[in-house]
Amino acid sequence: MKNIIVLGGGYGGLTAVQELLSNIPADVRVTLVDRMPFGSLKTEFYSLAAGTASEKDIRVSFPSHPQLQIVYGEVLGVSFEDKCVHLLNSDPLFYDSLIVALGCTDNYHGIEGAAEFTVSVQSLSATRKTYQMLNDVRPYGQVSIIGGGLSGVEVASELRESRPDLNIRILDRSSLMSAFPTKLQKFVASWFMEHDVELRSGIHTTRIEQGIIHNGNEEIHTDVAVWTAGIQPVKLVQDLILPKDNQGRLIVNEFHELPDAPDVYVIGDCSSQPFSPSGQLAQAQAHQVVQVLQARWNNKTIKLPRIQLKGTVGSLGKKSGFAVMGKTSLMGRIPRMLKSGVLWKSRRHFG
């Protein structure tokens, strides 16, 4: 039997598992390793945090198949020499091929107190706590969202719709949505001004303590601080002594394979790519890795095309949104409808 282990049941890992099972040879067995007994749509965590969606809305079931084994556990490390995965309180799992799709965690950039005194939307467990904290804020309390990128914008706008009583601000080091076209930045800023969300740029967070964000000598008081100011690969990847890019992501070859560890494929937020991390990218990589595995099983050579992403879609509450498709920017109801369509498709595909 050929043993394929997939670490992580997110967008990339679950896509790899489903595509492997759709046309799997009789002598192949797939093992999916995840901490949770179900997957989740991470791109919708902002709505769970804001209380506009229940956890049931963003859960997805893992597939069932006679050649699929699901193992629930915490991955401690990988031995490339022995070709095995070490799990907490469990026997090692041995592989012939390994797909690493473990996603990311918050990057606090060494800021004192950031990990202890902010809440997160980077994992389902963390988002549950964020929901509790945000919805326990007293009326007219203050919520500060640190980071004005896509995640910060979606959390802030969704929270504004679910809690119109709150004071909400976005604090950003540069400017709101700085990675997006200027026209789109202005549209999003205008939406926030119309909905009484305070925008502050040029904020250099130096330290965070309970209820206080330090911007140099300025003290910014808040009831809850939500961290959306950066991500990095998970600790397992951080600890690997292998070539990485300047964001700590593992450098892979044209087959998404580690050059120093044959038969180990890295996809999603842990993989160095010429794109920003996204669920769409993780799924595209997973699709190509499955193509590589199938070609190798049949002793065929394969040349993978360059990944082409469809664009980025974001929401501003339930009625407005924005999108970038190539060089085209979309704003208003249409991109919000596109976002709803993407969510429906993801639920249908994974469910």
Side-chain angles (χ1 to χ4, degrees):
M1 294 288 290
K2 300 184 183 74
N3 293 312
I4 303 173
I5 296 179
V6 180
L7 302 183
Y11 282 95
L14 197 48
T15 296
V17 168
Q18 289 188 320
E19 295 199 8
L20 284 167
L21 295 177
S22 68
N23 187 24
I24 188 168
D27 63 343
V28 174
R29 181 175 61 190
V30 178
T31 300
L32 171 63
V33 181
D34 199 273
R35 289 178 295 188
M36 303 298 294
F38 47 79
S40 53
L41 302 175
K42 186 175 181 179
T43 56
E44 305 304 312
F45 281 3
Y46 70 90
S47 59
L48 176 60
T52 59
S54 71
E55 185 174 317
K56 182 181 178 182
D57 294 330
I58 61 174
R59 284 187 185 181
V60 292
S61 300
F62 290 143
S64 176
H65 192 280
Q67 288 168 259
L68 172 66
Q69 176 188 20
I70 300 177
V71 175
Y72 306 125
E74 187 78 26
V75 179
L76 297 180
V78 178
S79 172
F80 299 130
E81 296 79 11
D82 298 327
K83 302 192 78 169
C84 71
V85 175
H86 298 282
L87 304 176
L88 180 65
N89 300 324
S90 183
D91 293 333
L93 298 174
F94 292 87
Y95 65 84
D96 294 292
S97 298
L98 176 67
I99 301 174
V100 180
L102 289 170
C104 63
T105 186
D106 289 294
N107 185 350
Y108 296 108
H109 309 290
I111 296 173
E112 180 185 349
E116 295 81 5
F117 300 112
T118 67
V119 293
S120 169
V121 290
Q122 284 306 319
S123 71
L124 185 57
S125 177
T127 305
R128 290 187 186 119
K129 296 176 184 177
T130 301
Y131 163 77
Q132 189 68 51
M133 292 282 287
L134 290 176
N135 285 276
D136 281 347
V137 176
R138 69 189 188 283
Y140 311 112
Q142 178 70 59
V143 174
S144 300
I145 294 162
I146 304 173
L150 179 59
S151 294
V153 162
E154 292 194 312
V155 170
S157 59
E158 201 79 3
L159 185 61
R160 166 49 74 225
E161 290 199 349
S162 71
R163 290 290 306 271
D165 58 291
L166 292 179
N167 295 300
I168 303 172
R169 66 164 71 99
I170 299 177
L171 307 175
D172 197 75
R173 178 180 290 269
S174 54
S175 60
L176 187 74
M177 302 286 287
S178 58
F180 287 77
T182 302
K183 180 181 178 182
L184 193 148
Q185 292 178 40
K186 291 179 178 178
F187 173 79
V188 174
S190 176
W191 190 96
F192 280 125
M193 286 187 282
E194 290 174 8
H195 291 80
D196 298 317
V197 174
E198 180 186 0
L199 303 177
R200 292 194 57 186
S201 58
I203 301 296
H204 297 271
T205 303
T206 52
R207 181 166 61 91
I208 301 175
E209 56 183 291
Q210 184 62 51
I212 302 175
I213 301 164
H214 292 268
N215 175 38
N217 295 324
E218 179 190 9
E219 293 185 353
I220 301 174
H221 292 264
T222 192
D223 291 297
V224 176
V226 183
W227 186 268
T228 61
I231 59 173
Q232 61 184 337
V234 294
K235 188 176 185 302
L236 181 144
V237 170
Q238 294 176 37
D239 292 342
L240 291 176
I241 310 301
L242 290 171
K244 299 171 185 172
D245 64 15
N246 58 10
Q247 295 179 312
R249 300 179 298 185
L250 290 164
I251 293 174
V252 295
N253 62 21
E254 67 272 26
F255 303 116
H256 310 291
E257 185 178 27
L258 291 176
D260 297 325
D263 302 311
V264 178
Y265 305 87
V266 184
I267 61 177
D269 301 338
C270 300
S271 173
S272 180
Q273 296 292 314
F275 306 99
S276 297
S278 68
Q280 183 184 171
L281 174 61
Q283 289 181 287
Q285 289 181 275
H287 175 69
Q288 290 196 340
V289 167
V290 172
Q291 289 182 308
V292 170
L293 288 171
Q294 290 172 338
R296 290 180 176 178
W297 294 338
N298 294 299
N299 296 314
K300 294 181 179 179
T301 59
I302 186 171
K303 182 175 177 59
L304 296 173
R306 184 178 182 274
I307 288 176
Q308 300 287 335
L309 300 183
K310 296 177 181 178
T312 301
V313 182
S315 69
L316 293 170
K318 300 300 184 190
K319 296 181 181 179
S320 187
F322 51 89
V324 178
M325 307 290 183
K327 296 182 179 180
T328 302
S329 296
L330 302 175
M331 292 154 281
R333 278 189 172 273
I334 290 177
R336 187 60 183 90
M337 292 169 65
L338 288 173
K339 170 93 177 183
S340 297
V342 170
L343 174 59
W344 177 85
K345 187 176 180 181
S346 295
R347 286 175 177 156
R348 185 171 179 268
H349 173 70
F350 287 130

